[in-house]
Amino acid sequence: MTSTTEGQGPASGLDPAIAARLKRGADGLIPAVAQQYDTGEVLMLGWMDDEALHRTLTTGRATYWSRSRREYWVKGDTSGHVQHVRSVALDCDADTVLVKVDQVGAACHTGDRTCFDAGVLRPSTPTRGPAAD
């Protein structure tokens, strides 16, 4: 199966059985949540197309599609802050992947360990349990 995002590069080597399960956005991308494998810490959100997912699965290094630069990037190639992939799971709706990694150094482009440490947003009213979506 080829990449579904126009202009992103070569045809993908992603297993057709996996590719058939994915529910991509209009741009051909799926969100990829990176999580520290042993602590559960959520590190960052990136974007993948079929080829980025294929590269992630086959190389053991987290590979993303940069929407701003319009190119693939392997986490840590320039910064040294590598993500060694431990597992990849597809969510129940097949529209998001969870990439469990062993993060070396900072995950965030700001130099912070996680992209999710800028402050907690609190709801204006207390919630009364899990909401069904």
Side-chain angles (χ1 to χ4, degrees):
M1 179 165 204
T2 59
S3 173
T4 58
T5 304
E6 187 176 323
Q8 280 195 14
S12 172
L14 185 63
D15 179 329
I18 296 172
R21 293 177 62 192
L22 298 177
K23 293 180 185 169
R24 301 163 196 82
D27 57 5
L29 300 173
I30 58 173
V33 177
Q35 180 182 40
Q36 178 64 34
Y37 82 98
D38 55 353
T39 66
E41 179 181 31
V42 176
L43 300 170
M44 59 172 275
L45 172 73
W47 296 92
M48 292 184 177
D49 68 354
D50 289 17
E51 181 59 19
L53 181 55
H54 168 70
R55 292 179 188 189
T56 297
L57 292 169
T58 58
T59 66
R61 296 273 310 278
T63 303
Y64 302 97
W65 174 254
S66 171
R67 296 178 301 166
S68 60
R69 295 189 311 267
R70 302 198 49 80
E71 66 184 14
Y72 296 104
W73 57 280
V74 179
K75 184 68 175 166
D77 271 2
T78 56
S79 67
H81 299 164
V82 177
Q83 290 179 344
H84 298 285
V85 177
R86 293 298 187 102
S87 68
V88 179
L90 189 58
D91 81 334
C92 60
D93 295 322
D95 63 359
T96 304
V97 293
L98 176 63
V99 185
K100 291 190 178 185
V101 301
D102 189 8
Q103 177 70 49
V104 176
C108 189
H109 70 280
T110 64
D112 289 337
R113 169 79 180 159
T114 174
C115 294
F116 294 97
D117 65 356
V120 175
L121 306 177
R122 303 206 189 282
S124 57
T125 58
T127 58
R128 301 203 191 278
D133 231 338

